[in-house]
Amino acid sequence: MNSAAELLPAGAAFDAIADNFDARFGDWQSVEAQRRAVRRVLVELFPEGSRLLEMGGGTGVDAAWLEARGREVLLTDASPAMVAEAARKLGPGAAEVVAIEQLDRLAWRGERFDGAFSNFAALNCVSDLAPMGRSLARLVRSGGHVALVVFGCCCPGEMIAEAARGRFGNMLRRASKGDVPARLGGQSFSVRYHRKAAIVAAMAPGFRYMGRTAIGLFVPPSAAEPWISRHPWLLAGLEAADRIAAHRLALFGDHILYRFERRHDGEAA
């Protein structure tokens, strides 16, 4: 495990809220609706029997769901406390303290995976994604897939929710192109709202870009909680609308899921 000196700022922030993370977000139905949309893609990309790497897996909710459906998952996260929570769900050896910036540690020891994924914006806590792309090119087998879920940079739903609460300064925060200060659990760290071009460039030349999908297009972001959870009939309708328009209007999602395919060794980019 990482020593305290190696713990990155985002890892320290999520360490501070790990013990009540599931209780804090688990009842929010907007989160569950967005999670269902991601899971539909994951089971399509990764057939039963796949060995998968999860990056920034937090408390292991998605990894446990996939393992119950016949996939093997190695969960990694920068937060030791999050990994401890995940280990309770997944069992020994299925969760490790490895930051996304440090995935080369797995490559050095010869780990190989059929695919990899990261859900709910763990990648937005990483300023430079290029080291991740290089490490994944060593970790994911030829023909394997990668699914990366990051914050969208233009989310009308968040703008509306923040305006309704009078927090006008937050309405355009995702338009920022550099690191943006953030605070969680009394800890300071930074986030970055990655654009498509930067994500695709970070994954090249090892991966071929396969498309993107909105996660939370009409389904609102967590800024609309707890109000939206009290209106399940409305949320169900918004979730159905997402399934229709998520590909065409991917740019406007609360989150965006990017899909990549590992190029075969020797294949030109």
Side-chain angles (χ1 to χ4, degrees), residues 177-235:
K177 293 187 177 180
D179 287 347
V180 178
R183 194 164 179 81
L184 190 65
Q187 301 290 322
S188 296
F189 62 108
S190 64
V191 298
R192 178 168 293 205
Y193 297 101
H194 301 291
R195 273 61 177 174
K196 173 187 173 182
I199 297 170
V200 173
M203 295 295 286
F207 293 87
R208 179 188 300 106
Y209 170 65
M210 301 299 289
R212 62 182 179 175
T213 303
I215 303 297
L217 178 61
F218 297 108
V219 168
S222 58
E225 292 291 357
W227 180 85
I228 191 62
S229 287
R230 295 197 291 265
H231 298 82
W233 57 271
L234 174 59
L235 185 59

Side-chain angles (χ1 to χ4, degrees), residues 3-263:
S3 69
E6 293 177 306
L7 189 58
L8 299 174
F14 282 92
D15 242 32
I17 64 168
D19 59 349
N20 69 347
F21 187 86
D22 287 345
R24 177 177 177 179
F25 297 106
D27 292 335
W28 286 3
Q29 293 307 301
S30 63
V31 174
E32 283 304 302
Q34 291 196 26
R35 197 181 293 280
R36 283 192 291 271
V38 173
R39 288 172 173 175
R40 283 194 293 271
V41 177
L42 295 182
V43 295
E44 178 184 328
L45 285 180
F46 308 125
E48 287 189 46
S50 296
R51 183 171 191 251
L52 306 175
L53 169 67
E54 182 175 12
M55 301 171 289
T59 63
V61 173
D62 288 315
W65 187 89
L66 285 166
E67 289 209 337
R69 286 154 182 82
R71 284 77 173 171
E72 177 187 351
V73 183
L74 174 62
L75 178 147
T76 60
D77 198 277
S79 161
M82 286 286 198
V83 168
E85 292 290 330
R88 295 187 182 98
K89 297 182 180 77
L90 303 174
E96 293 191 29
V97 182
V98 181
I100 293 168
E101 299 92 329
Q102 301 164 342
L103 291 176
D104 53 354
R105 296 181 179 183
L106 302 180
W108 289 339
R109 74 187 196 202
E111 294 278 7
R112 296 285 283 180
F113 300 90
D114 298 308
F117 69 98
S118 181
N119 198 7
F120 284 141
L123 298 181
N124 290 99
C125 298
V126 180
S127 295
D128 181 9
L129 298 179
M132 175 200 71
R134 291 192 294 269
S135 295
L136 288 177
R138 297 173 61 192
L139 289 165
V140 177
R141 64 168 178 79
S142 296
H145 292 92
V146 172
L148 306 177
V149 181
V150 301
F151 279 128
C153 297
C154 180
C155 177
E158 182 177 78
M159 295 177 191
I160 293 169
E162 294 293 357
R165 294 184 177 214
R167 300 190 300 213
F168 302 108
N170 288 342
M171 289 176 63
L172 298 177
R173 62 183 171 183
R174 300 193 189 197
S176 302
K177 293 187 177 180
D179 287 347
V180 178
R183 194 164 179 81
L184 190 65
Q187 301 290 322
S188 296
F189 62 108
S190 64
V191 298
R192 178 168 293 205
Y193 297 101
H194 301 291
R195 273 61 177 174
K196 173 187 173 182
I199 297 170
V200 173
M203 295 295 286
F207 293 87
R208 179 188 300 106
Y209 170 65
M210 301 299 289
R212 62 182 179 175
T213 303
I215 303 297
L217 178 61
F218 297 108
V219 168
S222 58
E225 292 291 357
W227 180 85
I228 191 62
S229 287
R230 295 197 291 265
H231 298 82
W233 57 271
L234 174 59
L235 185 59
L238 297 174
E239 192 172 0
D242 272 12
R243 290 195 290 270
I244 296 170
H247 293 293
R248 286 175 291 166
L249 299 177
L251 174 66
F252 301 107
D254 177 29
H255 294 84
I256 302 175
L257 187 154
Y258 289 86
R259 303 183 308 279
F260 295 88
E261 183 179 60
R262 175 71 166 87
R263 295 182 186 276

